[in-house]
Amino acid sequence: MSVSAVAADRSVCAPLPVLGRDVRVPLVTGGEVDYAALDYAASAPALQRVWDDVAAYAPYYGSVHRGAGYLSQLSTDLFENSRRTIAEFLGCGAEDQVVFTRSTTDSLNLLASVLPQATRVFVFETEHHASLLPWEQRPDVAVTYLNAPRTPRQAVDTLEKALAERDPYGPALVCVTGASNVTGELWPVRELAAAAHAHGARIVLDAAQLVPHHPVNIAELDVDWVAFSGHKLYAPFGAGVLAGRADWLQAAAPYLAGGGASRKVSRRTDGGVDVEWHTTAARHEAGSPNVIGAYAIASACQALTEAGFDGLVAREQELIARLRAGLAEVPEVNVLSLFGEDAARVGVFSFVVEGWNSSHFAAALSAEYGIGVRDGLFCAHPLVRTLLGSEPQDPGECGAPEAAPGERSLNAIRVSFGVGTPDEHVDRFLRAVKELVTDGATWNYRTEDGRCVPARSAG
């Protein structure tokens, strides 16, 4: 069956509506407002299309790959068709594999587990922890951390220099983000891939923040693997993807040992067991697969493809320009950037406000304006420390203010949006920023369990 067959008669709604667009939330100052979800970079809301597809399939849910019954066969067909839909969305070649995982983090840990012995990994300190940390789990793998570049050209030059100094005969892997989860800035992926391949290295693209905003094509970008999460791609059902070259995946031991990954298991005369493992993507998908998560990702891929990325990108760029101009009108706001204020970016901005603890500011946006943003170090501690000009050992914790409201702290505020963001939410956010900077918060706040929260009474 096709990926959308179970919801073929779905009515057409407004372009790419998302769940939660009509949710009302209370304000500490009284009354309610429509919730402005501006934290897409953490988890994007589900597309209504995805929700409808999943709901239509749910009554037909069954075990995958192991059942003779009709629902099992239907679910297996849906699962494998989802894999093909995602492969087409990513421009995978015939020999590439699409492996379903739990998340971007899981995908990159999977890739780390299959690296050949003595692989040399090159990764910029600017990466999200999901792509910064997995390589350290392999004691036989050497990791080279590259300093934060200040221009796209410097990123390429830094990588080329590091690769030129390595042993040219051993395996090597470059890991790079497509769009920063902190600044939203686009990285020169094609140029980095060319540099990697020129020096005999492979490259994996962390596309978690890129794939919801721009088309990602493995062949056009010339990357070896792509990793991303469904929950960033408007499909928050606990699945992720690692897609790309099959050889290292086929040569390595399964990521998890168990049913589904094994083709044949037999007892030996010495009392042990012999195992023949799959060489397909199933080799690294042991256990009962998350068919709903896989189907949700495929549904989101179809929805974005049918909507057309040209129009989606154009609209997002309008919102980016509006947000950039509005924040520039507030001198107290410092937008964080590696490549400069005019750098190409997706709908992700991080900033600090003079005279404000970032967690206090984020709490006031939520409690007094019904606006959800993120504050902290965004699981990219080295990058945010660099952008804030702090020393590596300075205190700071992701999402936890270590300073009282009004005091400076080593964290920032992040606002992010996507295909479901109304213009009004961006406008309300800009009004709120200007009012908080000009007039201050109208409520008292305190730190509780590591979070800045409204006190029980107003100021």
PDB file of all heavy atoms in Angstrom, residues 6 69 74 77 143 168 170 175 183 186 230 233 274 332 395 433 435:
ATOM      1  N   VAL A   6      -3.973   4.851   3.673  1.00  0.00           N
ATOM      2  CA  VAL A   6      -4.933   4.721   4.760  1.00  0.00           C
ATOM      3  C   VAL A   6      -5.659   6.021   5.057  1.00  0.00           C
ATOM      4  O   VAL A   6      -6.584   6.060   5.845  1.00  0.00           O
ATOM      5  CB  VAL A   6      -4.224   4.227   6.048  1.00  0.00           C
ATOM      6  CG1 VAL A   6      -3.709   2.825   5.867  1.00  0.00           C
ATOM      7  CG2 VAL A   6      -3.118   5.172   6.459  1.00  0.00           C
ATOM      8  N   GLY A  69      -0.902 -12.667   9.683  1.00  0.00           N
ATOM      9  CA  GLY A  69      -2.220 -12.053   9.624  1.00  0.00           C
ATOM     10  C   GLY A  69      -2.260 -10.821   8.752  1.00  0.00           C
ATOM     11  O   GLY A  69      -1.231 -10.201   8.440  1.00  0.00           O
ATOM     12  N   LEU A  74      -0.190  -5.770   6.406  1.00  0.00           N
ATOM     13  CA  LEU A  74      -0.433  -4.369   6.062  1.00  0.00           C
ATOM     14  C   LEU A  74       0.589  -3.466   6.743  1.00  0.00           C
ATOM     15  O   LEU A  74       1.143  -2.546   6.127  1.00  0.00           O
ATOM     16  CB  LEU A  74      -1.854  -3.987   6.472  1.00  0.00           C
ATOM     17  CG  LEU A  74      -2.352  -2.591   6.081  1.00  0.00           C
ATOM     18  CD1 LEU A  74      -3.850  -2.618   5.827  1.00  0.00           C
ATOM     19  CD2 LEU A  74      -2.033  -1.572   7.166  1.00  0.00           C
ATOM     20  N   ASP A  77       3.996  -3.746   5.146  1.00  0.00           N
ATOM     21  CA  ASP A  77       4.006  -3.019   3.887  1.00  0.00           C
ATOM     22  C   ASP A  77       4.127  -1.520   4.125  1.00  0.00           C
ATOM     23  O   ASP A  77       4.897  -0.817   3.452  1.00  0.00           O
ATOM     24  CB  ASP A  77       2.723  -3.341   3.110  1.00  0.00           C
ATOM     25  CG  ASP A  77       2.728  -2.742   1.717  1.00  0.00           C
ATOM     26  OD1 ASP A  77       3.694  -2.970   0.973  1.00  0.00           O
ATOM     27  OD2 ASP A  77       1.762  -2.044   1.372  1.00  0.00           O
ATOM     28  N   VAL A 143      39.470  11.290  18.250  1.00  0.00           N
ATOM     29  CA  VAL A 143      38.599  12.416  17.917  1.00  0.00           C
ATOM     30  C   VAL A 143      39.408  13.700  17.905  1.00  0.00           C
ATOM     31  O   VAL A 143      40.136  13.995  18.856  1.00  0.00           O
ATOM     32  CB  VAL A 143      37.437  12.553  18.919  1.00  0.00           C
ATOM     33  CG1 VAL A 143      36.474  13.644  18.466  1.00  0.00           C
ATOM     34  CG2 VAL A 143      36.702  11.223  19.080  1.00  0.00           C
ATOM     35  N   PRO A 168      47.058   9.593   6.076  1.00  0.00           N
ATOM     36  CA  PRO A 168      46.126   9.495   4.946  1.00  0.00           C
ATOM     37  C   PRO A 168      45.634   8.087   4.665  1.00  0.00           C
ATOM     38  O   PRO A 168      44.773   7.904   3.796  1.00  0.00           O
ATOM     39  CB  PRO A 168      46.957  10.021   3.774  1.00  0.00           C
ATOM     40  CG  PRO A 168      48.368   9.707   4.152  1.00  0.00           C
ATOM     41  CD  PRO A 168      48.431   9.862   5.645  1.00  0.00           C
ATOM     42  N   GLY A 170      44.442   5.682   7.047  1.00  0.00           N
ATOM     43  CA  GLY A 170      43.416   5.132   7.918  1.00  0.00           C
ATOM     44  C   GLY A 170      42.050   5.697   7.605  1.00  0.00           C
ATOM     45  O   GLY A 170      41.922   6.729   6.938  1.00  0.00           O
ATOM     46  N   CYS A 175      32.103  14.938  10.908  1.00  0.00           N
ATOM     47  CA  CYS A 175      30.707  15.127  11.342  1.00  0.00           C
ATOM     48  C   CYS A 175      30.431  16.619  11.389  1.00  0.00           C
ATOM     49  O   CYS A 175      31.177  17.372  12.026  1.00  0.00           O
ATOM     50  CB  CYS A 175      30.479  14.494  12.711  1.00  0.00           C
ATOM     51  SG  CYS A 175      28.796  14.687  13.322  1.00  0.00           S
ATOM     52  N   THR A 183      22.361  29.119  16.506  1.00  0.00           N
ATOM     53  CA  THR A 183      22.278  30.355  15.723  1.00  0.00           C
ATOM     54  C   THR A 183      21.388  30.237  14.499  1.00  0.00           C
ATOM     55  O   THR A 183      21.032  31.254  13.893  1.00  0.00           O
ATOM     56  CB  THR A 183      23.684  30.775  15.249  1.00  0.00           C
ATOM     57  OG1 THR A 183      24.158  29.809  14.299  1.00  0.00           O
ATOM     58  CG2 THR A 183      24.662  30.856  16.421  1.00  0.00           C
ATOM     59  N   LEU A 186      23.406  28.496   8.402  1.00  0.00           N
ATOM     60  CA  LEU A 186      23.646  27.394   7.478  1.00  0.00           C
ATOM     61  C   LEU A 186      25.140  27.185   7.298  1.00  0.00           C
ATOM     62  O   LEU A 186      25.905  28.142   7.128  1.00  0.00           O
ATOM     63  CB  LEU A 186      23.004  27.684   6.117  1.00  0.00           C
ATOM     64  CG  LEU A 186      21.477  27.792   6.118  1.00  0.00           C
ATOM     65  CD1 LEU A 186      20.979  28.262   4.761  1.00  0.00           C
ATOM     66  CD2 LEU A 186      20.844  26.463   6.476  1.00  0.00           C
ATOM     67  N   GLY A 230      12.482  12.566  13.804  1.00  0.00           N
ATOM     68  CA  GLY A 230      11.113  12.857  13.434  1.00  0.00           C
ATOM     69  C   GLY A 230      10.524  14.010  14.216  1.00  0.00           C
ATOM     70  O   GLY A 230       9.753  14.811  13.676  1.00  0.00           O
ATOM     71  N   LEU A 233      10.888  17.174  12.638  1.00  0.00           N
ATOM     72  CA  LEU A 233      10.294  17.193  11.303  1.00  0.00           C
ATOM     73  C   LEU A 233       8.770  17.053  11.386  1.00  0.00           C
ATOM     74  O   LEU A 233       8.149  16.398  10.550  1.00  0.00           O
ATOM     75  CB  LEU A 233      10.888  16.083  10.442  1.00  0.00           C
ATOM     76  CG  LEU A 233      10.602  16.118   8.941  1.00  0.00           C
ATOM     77  CD1 LEU A 233      11.274  17.316   8.293  1.00  0.00           C
ATOM     78  CD2 LEU A 233      11.045  14.831   8.269  1.00  0.00           C
ATOM     79  N   ASP A 274      25.550 -19.992  17.084  1.00  0.00           N
ATOM     80  CA  ASP A 274      26.012 -19.316  15.875  1.00  0.00           C
ATOM     81  C   ASP A 274      24.880 -18.428  15.376  1.00  0.00           C
ATOM     82  O   ASP A 274      23.711 -18.836  15.373  1.00  0.00           O
ATOM     83  CB  ASP A 274      26.394 -20.325  14.789  1.00  0.00           C
ATOM     84  CG  ASP A 274      27.692 -21.038  15.109  1.00  0.00           C
ATOM     85  OD1 ASP A 274      28.621 -20.377  15.619  1.00  0.00           O
ATOM     86  OD2 ASP A 274      27.770 -22.264  14.857  1.00  0.00           O
ATOM     87  N   GLU A 332      19.293  46.692  23.419  1.00  0.00           N
ATOM     88  CA  GLU A 332      19.685  45.819  24.534  1.00  0.00           C
ATOM     89  C   GLU A 332      19.777  44.346  24.122  1.00  0.00           C
ATOM     90  O   GLU A 332      20.267  43.513  24.892  1.00  0.00           O
ATOM     91  CB  GLU A 332      18.693  45.960  25.690  1.00  0.00           C
ATOM     92  CG  GLU A 332      18.699  47.333  26.361  1.00  0.00           C
ATOM     93  CD  GLU A 332      17.839  48.357  25.628  1.00  0.00           C
ATOM     94  OE1 GLU A 332      17.297  48.034  24.535  1.00  0.00           O
ATOM     95  OE2 GLU A 332      17.714  49.481  26.147  1.00  0.00           O
ATOM     96  N   PRO A 395      30.657  28.618  35.041  1.00  0.00           N
ATOM     97  CA  PRO A 395      29.456  27.837  35.349  1.00  0.00           C
ATOM     98  C   PRO A 395      28.340  28.132  34.367  1.00  0.00           C
ATOM     99  O   PRO A 395      28.223  29.214  33.822  1.00  0.00           O
ATOM    100  CB  PRO A 395      29.082  28.291  36.759  1.00  0.00           C
ATOM    101  CG  PRO A 395      29.642  29.678  36.866  1.00  0.00           C
ATOM    102  CD  PRO A 395      30.923  29.650  36.067  1.00  0.00           C
ATOM    103  N   VAL A 433       9.132  41.397  23.541  1.00  0.00           N
ATOM    104  CA  VAL A 433      10.539  41.727  23.796  1.00  0.00           C
ATOM    105  C   VAL A 433      10.687  43.218  24.071  1.00  0.00           C
ATOM    106  O   VAL A 433      11.345  43.633  25.043  1.00  0.00           O
ATOM    107  CB  VAL A 433      11.422  41.295  22.615  1.00  0.00           C
ATOM    108  CG1 VAL A 433      12.826  41.872  22.744  1.00  0.00           C
ATOM    109  CG2 VAL A 433      11.490  39.782  22.517  1.00  0.00           C
ATOM    110  N   GLU A 435       8.424  45.389  25.062  1.00  0.00           N
ATOM    111  CA  GLU A 435       7.762  45.800  26.306  1.00  0.00           C
ATOM    112  C   GLU A 435       8.560  45.373  27.527  1.00  0.00           C
ATOM    113  O   GLU A 435       8.695  46.140  28.497  1.00  0.00           O
ATOM    114  CB  GLU A 435       6.348  45.220  26.357  1.00  0.00           C
ATOM    115  CG  GLU A 435       5.383  45.871  25.377  1.00  0.00           C
ATOM    116  CD  GLU A 435       3.996  45.256  25.435  1.00  0.00           C
ATOM    117  OE1 GLU A 435       3.749  44.434  26.350  1.00  0.00           O
ATOM    118  OE2 GLU A 435       3.173  45.578  24.561  1.00  0.00           O
TER     119      GLU A 435
END
